[in-house]
Amino acid sequence: MDEATVLTGVGLRQPHLAYFDQYRPKLGWLEIHSENYFRPHRPAFSTLMRLREDYAISCHGVGLSLGSDEPLDRAHLDKLCTLVKHVEPLFVSDHLSWSRIDGQHFHDLLPLPYTEQALRVFCTNVQQVQDALQRPLLIENPSSYLSFAQGDYHEWDFLAEVHARTGCDLLLDLNNVHVSAFNHDFIASTYLDAIPAHAVKEIHLAGFTVKHTPAGEIWIDTHNQPVSEAVWTLYQQWIDRHGPRHTLIEWDSDLPAPERLLAEAAKAHHRLARHKEAV
């Protein structure tokens, strides 16, 4: 990736639309949740089309349910294709997860069993989406809190195999790696060493919450905090080793003022700039 073209951005959420539309702060790109813009006649869609004149846009989905062992929701996919045609986004991404069964949709990104059968299903669905979009899809690694008793792969090997079989790219969420490493007692570097770095086109950074339960401590990927120092360290280590990538700050609940969000993005920008000066 050409370092001169690497950008830092933030997740664009509904309460911040008017701010970005009015002030146009200096920033490389904005990431939307695709499903929020499936209705082109709503005011938010018109605002997005104005913003895309000044910012690169990325479409980050939560509804494809790529891990479901049933046909893709063609109506959903058609709406995504229409959105992509209008926006011409920098990236289109979704998750290593599932959220639909027998026509029922869940609001959570549910974990997959990392079995060969689940891998075949997931890859088939990814390939169908890529064929419809006529472009690679970015797949994001999840955060997780429980694991299946049976599995043929570690998560990192499963993700690498999805890339190998479909040619998809990867969205590396470093906060998710950090959270899952604690919850499942593995070393984050084990995960990061196993995934194909050349396939990583985007990095997500976010905050998490520590929850204490009778069974012990668990870390939750809540996206309602600043990026932790431990995740900043992982980020610095990753770009030092593999080079810069388009980087996004996610903050989805307990939203701060836009200026606070932009200050988090500036931290990533400064790290990318220092890396460029060092090489």
Side-chain angles (χ1 to χ4, degrees), residues 76-247:
H76 186 103
L77 181 55
D78 288 345
K79 291 175 183 177
L80 177 61
C81 289
T82 299
L83 176 66
V84 169
K85 182 178 179 180
H86 282 295
V87 175
E88 298 179 316
L90 179 67
F91 301 122
V92 183
S93 57
D94 211 290
H95 297 79
L96 185 66
S97 65
W98 67 279
S99 56
R100 178 174 54 86
I101 187 170
D102 294 333
Q104 182 174 358
H105 291 258
F106 300 94
H107 293 295
D108 293 305
L109 299 170
L110 300 170
L112 292 172
Y114 294 128
T115 63
E116 181 62 32
Q117 180 184 3
L119 178 61
R120 289 195 299 268
V121 167
F122 194 85
C123 289
T124 296
N125 289 336
V126 167
Q127 193 60 63
Q128 288 180 7
V129 173
Q130 293 184 143
D131 289 345
L133 292 174
Q134 289 296 293
R135 62 186 293 165
L137 191 64
L138 274 65
I139 301 300
E140 179 180 1
N141 59 290
S143 58
S144 60
Y145 314 102
L146 297 172
S147 58
F148 290 88
Q150 302 296 323
D152 303 315
Y153 298 89
H154 293 297
E155 181 178 294
W156 45 87
D157 295 324
F158 190 98
L159 193 60
E161 193 64 22
V162 171
H163 162 70
R165 296 190 188 189
T166 69
C168 73
D169 292 321
L170 302 180
L171 193 172
L172 174 59
D173 190 312
L174 287 171
N175 185 65
N176 287 353
V177 173
H178 182 59
V179 164
S180 294
F182 175 83
N183 292 336
H184 299 301
D185 194 25
F186 65 80
I187 300 172
S189 60
T190 300
Y191 196 121
L192 298 177
D193 289 345
I195 62 172
H198 68 274
V200 175
K201 306 302 181 185
E202 178 184 344
I203 291 175
H204 274 184
L205 303 173
F208 68 95
T209 299
V210 176
K211 184 175 182 179
H212 298 279
T213 75
E217 185 176 307
I218 188 170
W219 293 0
I220 308 294
D221 178 42
T222 49
H223 292 187
N224 67 344
Q225 303 284 335
V227 179
S228 70
E229 287 304 316
V231 171
W232 282 123
T233 298
L234 280 181
Y235 178 62
Q236 189 68 58
Q237 291 171 346
W238 201 91
I239 62 175
D240 285 346
R241 181 174 180 183
H242 300 294
R245 297 295 191 275
H246 295 285
T247 301

